[in-house]
Each structure stands twice: as C-alpha cells, then as structure tokens.
C-alpha cells in the first residue's frame, strides 16, 4: 500500500467502527469495507499501536480506542459546528431581518448553540444554552423528522414526555408522527413555544446523511386559531443556509 490509500482506508475503518453499535471482528470489517483481510489486519495493528483502536482478544473483535475518544473530545472543545454555522446565521439575519438560531437534539429537547439577532432584536425565550421540548420547536422537529421511527419512539415513550406550553403542538407520539409526516423540506412551529411567535427550520446533515443540527429563524406572527402558514419564501432561505452547513461539515443530504 502507498501512504495515501493506506490513510484513506484507515480513516474509512475508523469511521465504520464509529458507526457500529459495538466492536467488530476483522473479518466483518474486511467484508463490509471491501478490503483484503491482510490489509485489514495490518491497518488494525497500526491503529491499535497508535491507540485509535482497541483489540479485545477474548471476543476476537476490535473497538475504538482512547485516542479516538480524545479526538472527539478535542472536536467538541474547538466548537467547529458553531464556528462553521455562525457566518451562515449572520447572513440569514441580514437577508431576512429575523433572529436566527442553531440547535441540536439533546435527548427529547432542542439545545440552542448559537443565536444571531438583527439590530432591533425581539425578546425570545430561545437563547444560547437554553433547552426546549424538541416536539414543540421547529428546529427540533426538523431533526426528529429525519430520525428512524424507533429512535423517535425511544425519545418520547409515553404521553408524559410531551410538554404543553401554549395549548398548541403535539401531545402524543401519534400526533407528533402525523406532524413530522406532513412536513416538507422544512419544519414550522406557530405559537407552540411562545404565543405570538413562529419559527421555520431546516436540518443540516453529516457524512452519513444523519441530521446533526438545525438552522431556524423566529419572528412575530399571531393567528387564532393556528392558520397553517408554511412561509415558503422564508423557508427557501433557511433551507439554503442548512444546505450550506451540510456542505461545510462535509455532509450529504439523505436521498
């Protein structure tokens, strides 16, 4: 092997291990990655020597090592997601005049990592570090809509998992699933979090097409009863920003 293909194969092996639910045998790794067994054993030995892979001799399997954990921890300390998203949010604020957020799923909640505001901001409950029920927020539903059904069910196992803030929004798993099924490329919440405010959000994806974060904009809107507006023009700008985020993190949209 020359150095570059070996590096590429080693990274593919680490990425594959990271995506599996537990340690894997060398034979399974070779088969699933389409590599010769001799090459796979050589790569595993080198990665184990560097601490990126751990050999479990009793199980005859390999798992991620401490060095991989250290890389992941360093990744979080560098805040790459926030750094990559900030200029996109700033551009979105400039073009729409609305407050923009970056949110991620934290269990059954939306955790807000970034907030960019126009020159005359409006008072909102969403702020950096704030967590809100994911089933109510546009950002949360933009992410939930791209998760497997069993994962959504695990996050909301019973009716008590649903929160009612304004009298609007889903209050059961069946209602949430109907709402997610009706969503298009973007998600909308209209007064589900705060009366008189609405939000539009779209998801960004990682290299495996998994949703990692959502970009949203929030603005004043009042209607009684809920009017069902989708704001397609605004959503187009939000979707564009989310697609840019996907590209910036080296991801791909599912499809």
């Amino acid at each position: 092997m020359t150095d570059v293909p070996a590096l590429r194969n080693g990274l593919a092996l680490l990425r594959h291990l990271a995506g599996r639910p537990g340690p894997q045998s060398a034979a399974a790794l070779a088969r699933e990655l389409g590599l010769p067994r001799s090459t796979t054993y050589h790569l595993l030995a080198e990665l184990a020597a560097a601490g990126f892979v751990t050999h479990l001799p009793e199980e005859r399997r390999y798992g991620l090592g401490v060095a991989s954990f250290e890389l992941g921890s360093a990744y979080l300390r560098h805040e790459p997601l926030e750094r990559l998203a900030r200029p996109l949010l700033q551009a979105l604020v400039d073009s729409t005049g609305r407050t923009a957020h970056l949110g991620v799923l934290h269990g059954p909640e939306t955790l807000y990592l970034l907030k960019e505001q126009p020159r005359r901001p409006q008072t909102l409950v969403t702020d950096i570090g704030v967590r809100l029920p994911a089933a109510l927020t546009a950002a949360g539903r933009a992410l939930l809509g791209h998760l497997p059904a069993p994962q959504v069910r695990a996050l909301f196992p019973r009716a008590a998992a649903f929160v009612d803030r304004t009298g609007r929004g889903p209050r059961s798993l069946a209602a949430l699933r109907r709402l997610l099924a009706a969503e298009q490329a973007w998600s909308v919440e209209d007064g589900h979090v705060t009366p008189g405010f609405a939000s539009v959000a779209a998801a960004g994806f990682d290299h495996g097409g998994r949703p990692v974060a959502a970009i949203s904009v929030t603005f004043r809107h009042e209607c009684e009863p809920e009017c069902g507006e989708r704001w397609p023009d605004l959503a187009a700008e939000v979707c564009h920003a989310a697609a840019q985020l996907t590209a910036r993190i080296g991801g791909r949209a599912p499809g």
Side-chain angles (χ1 to χ4, degrees):
M1 292 187 296
T2 62
D3 291 342
V4 172
L7 175 61
R8 186 179 297 118
N9 288 334
L11 292 173
L13 195 154
L14 285 174
R15 179 175 287 177
H16 190 78
L17 277 175
R20 311 310 294 171
Q24 303 290 300
S25 68
L29 291 168
R31 182 177 63 254
E32 292 173 10
L33 290 171
L35 294 174
R37 285 199 181 190
S38 59
T39 298
T40 303
Y41 277 110
H42 174 74
L43 290 171
L44 288 169
E46 291 294 326
L47 290 168
F52 288 98
V53 163
T54 296
H55 182 218
L56 306 171
E58 292 79 11
E59 301 180 36
R60 298 182 179 180
R61 293 173 182 266
Y62 294 83
L64 292 177
V66 173
S68 295
F69 172 78
E70 291 172 344
L71 272 184
S73 299
Y75 176 90
L76 294 177
R77 290 197 301 273
H78 288 194
E79 298 183 333
L81 189 59
E82 292 93 317
R83 291 172 183 266
L84 290 171
R86 183 171 285 111
L88 303 179
L89 265 62
Q90 291 170 339
L92 198 54
V93 170
D94 290 342
S95 66
T96 66
R98 275 74 179 262
T99 299
H101 296 88
L102 179 75
V104 297
L105 283 180
H106 192 274
E109 297 177 313
T110 303
L111 170 63
Y112 291 93
L113 303 181
L114 279 179
K115 178 180 181 180
E116 295 292 333
Q117 302 182 94
R119 290 184 179 181
R120 295 182 179 180
Q122 298 169 329
T123 302
L124 300 171
V125 296
T126 45
D127 208 344
I128 296 174
V130 166
R131 299 177 187 179
L132 291 171
L136 295 182
T137 68
R141 292 207 293 263
L143 297 167
L144 291 171
H146 293 281
L147 294 181
Q151 192 170 346
V152 175
R153 184 173 63 248
L155 291 173
F156 302 95
R158 57 189 65 87
F162 291 87
V163 177
D164 178 15
R165 288 177 59 97
T166 67
R168 295 184 179 183
R171 301 184 192 180
S172 68
L173 181 59
L176 174 61
R177 283 177 168 167
R178 286 194 298 270
L179 192 56
L180 296 178
E183 300 281 7
Q184 302 170 30
W186 67 92
S187 295
V188 167
E189 68 87 7
D190 187 355
H192 295 189
V193 175
T194 303
F197 285 91
S199 298
V200 173
F205 304 91
D206 66 10
H207 66 276
R210 295 175 290 266
V212 292
I215 290 178
S216 62
V217 294
T218 301
F219 48 94
R220 283 197 174 277
H221 173 74
E222 295 191 35
C223 61
E224 191 62 44
E226 192 172 346
C227 63
E229 175 62 54
R230 300 278 308 161
W231 295 282
D233 293 340
L234 180 59
E237 296 195 58
V238 175
C239 289
H240 178 68
Q244 287 181 300
L245 179 62
T246 297
R248 298 195 84 184
I249 62 178
R252 64 172 180 82

